[in-house]
Amino acid sequence: MTEAPGAAGPHGGAHPRYAPGTPCWVSLMVRELTAAQDFYGALFGWEFQLGPYVRALLDGRPVAGLGQAPADRRLPVAWTPYLASDRVDTTAETVRLCGGTIGVGPLDAAEAGRLALGSDPSGALFGIWEAADHPGFGVTGVPGAPAWHELVTGTSAGVVRFYETVFGHAGEADGAPGVDHVTLRVGGRPVAGVRGAGDALSVERGAHWTTYFEVADPDVAHARVTELGGRALGPVHDGPHGRVVEAADPEGARFTLVRRPR
């Protein structure tokens, strides 16, 4: 695999292929698929390529996936990032050897590629994607598209070692006194973050990945989320990644809206 220029950097761009370890897709399994399309379509300007698994498109380029959750299983509704792999079967086995678990797969997703779903040692769910016809995001870092991915866990140290071993990430501590935050890099490029929340980690949610979606104006998007039946989970504020607000869709799936510094 090769990584398109700018794939994990601070600015948006198109991505024909992704280097191993790079977040390359996000997916959401919901109970009410049509309602989810209505919400995210109105919030981000997405259109949808319909099928058993719905691809969200921004200006014709894929940015996310939506699927129907099994009616007989009450699974948490949450955005799940997929990390690129050259060989998903090998990566899945390494996940197991390093203290993680594989709950689904590896299995083929028709001609699109091959996938597995697993959890790291802290319990955070993630996907592994071996691309075939579907490389992943067609664009990132522009309004309406994913911009960043952050793992929130108790402490960063052990889980960072897991991602370094499994995906080849290079972890770089931010170095601010009293702050437990590590940036994961691939080929020198920042691709994701790990934040140790300590005692502030939600017992209900546990360790989890958060997807940041770029918006032109977080204050406007904050109000729009509520108008569309979702919830803003706090005020708009300035953070390390830009101006942000945490939100949840009508089924409770959480995400972060961000306008990054230009």
Side-chain angles (χ1 to χ4, degrees), residues 11 24 41 45 84 88 92 125 152 167 186 195 200 207 209 215 233 237:
H11 305 293
C24 62
V88 66
L125 179 67
V152 182
F167 291 102
V186 170
R195 177 164 61 87
W209 279 93
V215 292
L233 302 177
H237 62 280

Side-chain angles (χ1 to χ4, degrees), residues 27-34 36 52-53 66-78 251:
S27 185
L28 177 66
M29 303 300 289
V30 297
R31 303 182 188 97
E32 299 291 339
L33 187 54
T34 300
Y53 180 74
L66 301 173
Q68 180 72 55
D72 59 344
R73 298 182 66 187
R74 301 298 291 179
L75 300 174
V77 179
E251 290 196 25

Side-chain angles (χ1 to χ4, degrees), residues 12 19 22-23 28 36 39 46 55-56 127 141 143 153 164 170 174 183 196-197 219 260:
T22 305
L28 177 66
F39 174 83
W46 290 351
R55 288 186 189 176
T153 186
E164 289 175 333
D174 287 1
T183 298
D219 295 89
R260 295 178 301 166

Side-chain angles (χ1 to χ4, degrees), residues 231-249:
R231 292 180 297 135
L233 302 177
V236 182
H237 62 280
D238 294 318
H241 302 301
R243 190 156 177 79
V244 301
V245 60
E246 295 179 27
D249 69 18

Side-chain angles (χ1 to χ4, degrees), residues 52-71:
Y53 180 74
V54 176
R55 288 186 189 176
L57 307 177
L58 182 67
D59 297 327
R61 293 176 288 185
V63 291
L66 301 173
Q68 180 72 55

